[in-house]
């Protein structure tokens, strides 16, 4: 079932996938996550990694709920597999 914002045929509600900064996860690992799970090129991944590092949080993309949940789960599993505490969360994007 797809979550909708109201009217028939309306676009599904989108969710922003966010990475959170921590003081342990290596910057290079964050770049790898951004390239692998969010299809960013090296330059875009470096820019976003630095934003997360300096601002504490950064948006990786906006997706329908099922896809956003999947991306969060994949990132968290990958981080755990590599023994990093990297956190990834989602937030609902308000509809107009």
């Amino acid at each position: 079932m797809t979550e909708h914002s109201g009217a028939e045929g309306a676009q599904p509600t989108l969710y922003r996938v966010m990475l959170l900064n921590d003081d342990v996860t290596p910057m290079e690992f964050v770049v790898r996550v951004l390239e692998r799970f969010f299809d960013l090129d090296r330059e875009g991944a470096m820019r976003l990694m630095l934003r997360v590092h300096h601002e504490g949080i950064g948006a990786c993309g906006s997706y329908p709920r099922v896809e956003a949940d999947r991306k969060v789960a994949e990132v968290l599993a990958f981080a755990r597999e590599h023994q990093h505490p990297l956190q990834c969360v989602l937030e609902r994007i308000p509809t107009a």
Side-chain angles (χ1 to χ4, degrees), residues 27-83:
M27 292 179 179
E28 186 56 39
F29 183 80
V30 175
V31 169
R32 194 164 140 206
V33 164
L34 293 168
E35 290 172 334
R36 179 173 178 164
F37 297 103
F38 299 99
D39 298 321
L40 294 179
D41 62 18
R42 185 78 175 173
E43 184 178 325
M46 289 292 290
R47 274 196 312 268
L48 184 50
M49 176 275 297
L50 288 171
R51 181 177 301 132
V52 171
H53 181 69
H54 293 292
E55 296 177 15
I57 193 167
C60 303
S62 300
Y63 309 93
R65 180 68 189 249
V66 171
E67 188 175 355
D69 282 336
R70 180 180 53 77
K71 287 193 176 286
V72 168
E74 289 173 344
V75 168
L76 294 176
F78 190 67
R80 262 192 321 272
E81 177 184 330
H82 291 87
Q83 301 178 345

Side-chain angles (χ1 to χ4, degrees), residues 76-91:
L76 294 176
F78 190 67
R80 262 192 321 272
E81 177 184 330
H82 291 87
Q83 301 178 345
H84 295 301
L86 182 66
Q87 291 297 301
C88 185
V89 298
L90 58 86
E91 68 179 14

